[in-house]
Amino acid sequence: MKSWHRYAIALAGGLALGLGAAWWLTGGGLQGGQIVNGPWTTSLGYGTKATGAITRAAVARAGLLALPAKETVYWSSKTDAAGAPLDGNCRYSLSGKLLDARWWSVTIYDAAGYLVANDANIWSVNGANVATDDQGVWRVTIAPTRPIEGAWLPGIKDQSFHLTLRMYNPGPAFRADPEKASLPAIVKEGC
């Protein structure tokens, strides 16, 4: 075998190994942020130069187009309150009090990071379209079938999913201690 063949094979192998490792390292989405609050994780470095190269690559791969934390905080959850993976076959209650932000939304994504395909064309709820009860608590059902009443995010049978909570212009109380902020609870009600 000629020496240039060996170099070409080594180069191709190195590129394949490097690209495969980069794809694997950035494939976890936004999980593993340095701030954990119940099932939610985030990093206040998303959208800034302060984050490492792998985090910036994961944010870019997720297609987040992240803003800095003073403008938006992005929380991600792949598990419920008990730590079990979110399952499209199950019914969940997503609930909480109004968040310390100018505006907020929760969006449902499939395991690959795309909006969940559904006939209802519903992918997100936000602080403007969920009603609160007399205690100031809002509730959204996440399930493959629409509930009789109330806000709903459709899960897809036989598919796992994850949620992204976006808090736009978070308030000073939240920014002071995001680990202790009151975030929505994700409770499995049944499968």
Side-chain angles (χ1 to χ4, degrees), residues 1 10 14 23 26 29 52 62 66 79-80 85 115 122 135 151 184 190:
M1 181 181 286
W23 191 255
T26 61
T79 63
D80 62 21
L115 293 171
I122 299 172
Q135 307 294 315

Side-chain angles (χ1 to χ4, degrees), residues 58-115:
V59 167
R61 183 173 167 196
L64 187 59
L65 302 175
L67 297 169
K70 67 182 179 186
E71 295 181 41
T72 308
V73 176
Y74 305 90
W75 294 91
S76 180
S77 181
K78 291 185 177 182
T79 63
D80 62 21
L86 297 172
D87 181 346
N89 294 314
C90 299
R91 177 184 179 94
Y92 297 89
S93 169
L94 174 70
S95 63
K97 293 200 174 219
L98 294 179
L99 297 168
D100 183 18
R102 180 181 52 81
W103 193 81
W104 59 267
S105 69
V106 177
T107 307
I108 187 168
Y109 294 95
D110 65 18
Y114 296 104
L115 293 171

Side-chain angles (χ1 to χ4, degrees), residues 1 14 23 30 32 34 59 63 68 74 106 115 128 134-135 138 141 154 160 165 168 172-173 176 188-189 191:
M1 181 181 286
W23 191 255
L30 302 180
Q34 69 236 36
V59 167
Y74 305 90
V106 177
L115 293 171
D134 55 352
Q135 307 294 315
W138 56 269
T141 300
S160 61
L165 165 64
Y168 294 90
K188 184 187 293 184
E189 296 180 333
C191 291

Side-chain angles (χ1 to χ4, degrees), residues 19-188:
L19 289 172
W23 191 255
W24 178 77
L25 281 171
T26 61
L30 302 180
Q31 292 293 313
Q34 69 236 36
I35 298 174
V36 177
N37 184 323
W40 301 98
T41 63
T42 192
S43 168
L44 297 182
Y46 295 151
T48 69
K49 295 178 189 175
T51 59
I54 292 174
T55 300
R56 286 194 310 269
V59 167
R61 183 173 167 196
L64 187 59
L65 302 175
L67 297 169
K70 67 182 179 186
E71 295 181 41
T72 308
V73 176
Y74 305 90
W75 294 91
S76 180
S77 181
K78 291 185 177 182
T79 63
D80 62 21
L86 297 172
D87 181 346
N89 294 314
C90 299
R91 177 184 179 94
Y92 297 89
S93 169
L94 174 70
S95 63
K97 293 200 174 219
L98 294 179
L99 297 168
D100 183 18
R102 180 181 52 81
W103 193 81
W104 59 267
S105 69
V106 177
T107 307
I108 187 168
Y109 294 95
D110 65 18
Y114 296 104
L115 293 171
V116 170
N118 64 79
D119 293 336
N121 293 328
I122 299 172
W123 301 279
S124 182
V125 295
N126 62 65
N129 70 5
V130 294
T132 58
D133 63 17
D134 55 352
Q135 307 294 315
V137 175
W138 56 269
R139 182 180 188 282
V140 174
T141 300
I142 304 171
T145 56
R146 184 185 292 269
I148 294 171
E149 61 184 12
W152 172 58
L153 281 176
I156 301 297
K157 289 187 179 201
D158 302 323
Q159 289 187 26
S160 61
F161 65 91
H162 69 271
L163 301 171
T164 297
L165 165 64
R166 292 171 178 84
M167 296 175 64
Y168 294 90
N169 298 115
F174 168 82
R175 287 195 310 262
D177 197 358
E179 291 176 347
K180 294 193 172 118
S182 178
L183 295 180
I186 308 168
V187 178
K188 184 187 293 184

